[in-house]
Amino acid sequence: MDSNGSDTMRVENRRIVRNTGLLYFRLILLTFINLYTVRITLQALGKVDYGIFELIAYLVFSLTTLTGAMSSATQRYLSFHLGRNDYEQYSHTFSLLLICFITAAGILILLGEGLGYFFIFDWLTIPVDKRESAFWVYQASILSFSFGLITIPYSSSIIANERMDAFAIFSIVEGILKLGVAFWLANFGGNRLILYGILTAAISVVVFIMSLSYCHAKFKYCKYIWKWDRQIFTELSKYTGWNMFGSVSAILATSGQNILLNIFFGPIINTSKAIADKIQHVINGFSINLYMAVSPQIIKSYAVSDIDRTVSLVLKSSKISFMLIFALAFPLICNMNGILNLWLAADAKTPDMVVFSKLILIYCMIFSLESPISRLIQATGNIRRYQLSVGIITLCYIPIAALVLYLGGSAVMTVVVLIIVMSIAQCMRVYVAHHQVGLDYGMYFNTVILPILKVAALGIPLYLVIDRFAADTEFLLVAFKTLASGLAGLAIIVTLGLDRSDRSIIKNFIKRKSHK
């Protein structure tokens, strides 16, 4: 590689580091805000109302998994055009995508309104005196979803242009607004469930306006231009269509699980699962932020046919993401009972929350390996085989989980089944990447899987030892135990999860920062 190429790569790597740092600053701040928001909201609404809201909101926003197919297409094509400096094509694609998103929002609103009454009054297990409130929450959630959908072309443009500072600021503003809503809710004397739904929808409108205004001010190629391009539309339709199939299977694996839990156990178990989902959202955010910074580089590298760098980014981000999730999840799993005691009110925690939360963290570790392989396949634009094979495996989850519950399985067994199914799906992802892109099995095993197996081999027995020492109520004891198990997890990662080059990079980074 010539000096110009090396300089360019160094600049791109520094950009990844800078953007990752900005996103992690955003995530850490939002984590504290969101955790406190959940505590206040749960106390204000109570277990039943909170479970109802989370169930309805999850049903509506699971539709965003469908739109995630379109969001993925948006980021892929916009990053691809930026990688080739083709701003005219970028503008045409952006405009066409905006039309598609507005149309999709209208169609899904009509479908949602048509099915809403049956969801609330016939299908879900909701107390009779709460059904009218639940119906209005559903209406507010539909409105919030619509604005979130139309925001995607603008937020995708911010990410594709790697303006993570703006993305971080908008997210922080959204988090602060949600905290303000929680305080308002706690001091409101009327129907808190309906108020919560309305204010949540209002926040989506604010985020849409901020994203639109920023893109219009900063990116001249992000303004709507009417020009119908049949070739672009056909290509986007094929790509989005197969992505949609994969997204439908993901919807059934997430919303379907919550519906099963509601049917078999009622809304209180949805509250327990919702708390575990909040923890999942926070933990997944760390790997998502890494991928958000790396993903444009993966697609741009593929766009200029730099396959070696593309594969290198995929392998490195896969391993680092897993190790990052393990470092965060290990102390939480070891101390989940005590952490929930301190986080939530004493009468809000249930035994199911503890088990749900531990299992969902194990799922987070496995799921952290999904995004790099997905981005690799999506960069090629040929996703038919990938979505078909992975989607079929994912579709098996709901019937298997339903059978387990029908045979008398506990609620937490639905997460165990999810872990098994998603592990099989990840094996299929690697198989497709091998045949379609040439990802080497041996390289993937040695770079990603082997370090994970080493970390798990020591982490599991260490957890069993730490878990024997109870510290469930005393703040200082819980904090000390969490810190000790966190340091133990970091020691395992450094010694067994990272290779010599990884440790050297970290060492040099610390030296540079200390000198500064």
Side-chain angles (χ1 to χ4, degrees), residues 227-362:
K227 181 180 179 180
W228 180 259
D229 192 316
R230 183 176 180 182
Q231 182 178 355
I232 296 177
F233 179 77
T234 302
E235 187 176 354
L236 286 172
S237 298
K238 290 180 180 179
Y239 185 94
T240 305
W242 284 110
N243 248 4
M244 195 76 75
F245 175 79
S247 297
V248 168
S249 63
I251 285 178
L252 295 178
T254 52
S255 296
Q257 180 189 22
N258 286 289
I259 293 173
L260 285 176
L261 291 174
N262 180 264
I263 292 173
F264 278 89
F265 302 102
I268 291 181
I269 201 69
N270 288 117
T271 298
S272 297
K273 178 60 168 52
I275 294 299
D277 289 338
K278 297 296 183 185
I279 296 174
Q280 177 189 7
H281 178 73
V282 170
I283 297 301
N284 275 346
F286 283 88
S287 61
I288 289 172
N289 281 324
L290 175 63
Y291 298 141
M292 199 177 295
V294 175
S295 179
Q297 290 292 328
I298 291 176
I299 296 173
K300 290 174 183 177
S301 296
Y302 187 88
V304 296
S305 302
D306 190 351
I307 304 301
D308 290 340
R309 175 169 168 76
T310 303
V311 173
S312 176
L313 286 171
V314 169
L315 295 177
K316 282 290 185 182
S317 60
S318 295
K319 182 175 72 171
I320 292 174
S321 177
F322 180 91
M323 298 305 165
L324 178 62
I325 298 300
F326 178 87
L328 296 168
F330 183 72
L332 297 181
I333 292 174
C334 293
N335 305 278
M336 186 58 69
N337 198 43
I339 290 171
L340 290 179
N341 275 334
L342 297 177
W343 176 26
L344 306 174
D347 59 346
K349 193 203 74 175
T350 65
D352 286 326
M353 284 184 189
V354 178
V355 183
F356 268 129
S357 299
K358 287 184 176 183
L359 289 174
I360 211 70
L361 288 174
I362 296 173

Side-chain angles (χ1 to χ4, degrees), residues 311 315 373 376 430 433-435 437-448:
V311 173
L315 295 177
I373 300 295
L376 176 62
V430 176
H434 170 74
H435 284 274
V437 187
L439 180 66
D440 185 77
Y441 287 138
M443 185 181 297
Y444 188 81
F445 180 83
N446 291 327
T447 305
V448 181

Side-chain angles (χ1 to χ4, degrees), residues 357-391:
S357 299
K358 287 184 176 183
L359 289 174
I360 211 70
L361 288 174
I362 296 173
Y363 168 76
C364 286
M365 295 184 209
I366 296 171
F367 192 72
S368 68
L369 302 175
E370 179 268 343
S371 190
I373 300 295
S374 296
R375 294 295 181 270
L376 176 62
I377 301 296
Q378 289 167 359
T380 67
N382 182 14
I383 60 172
R384 177 179 177 275
R385 177 193 290 182
Y386 172 80
Q387 295 292 4
L388 185 61
S389 55
V390 174

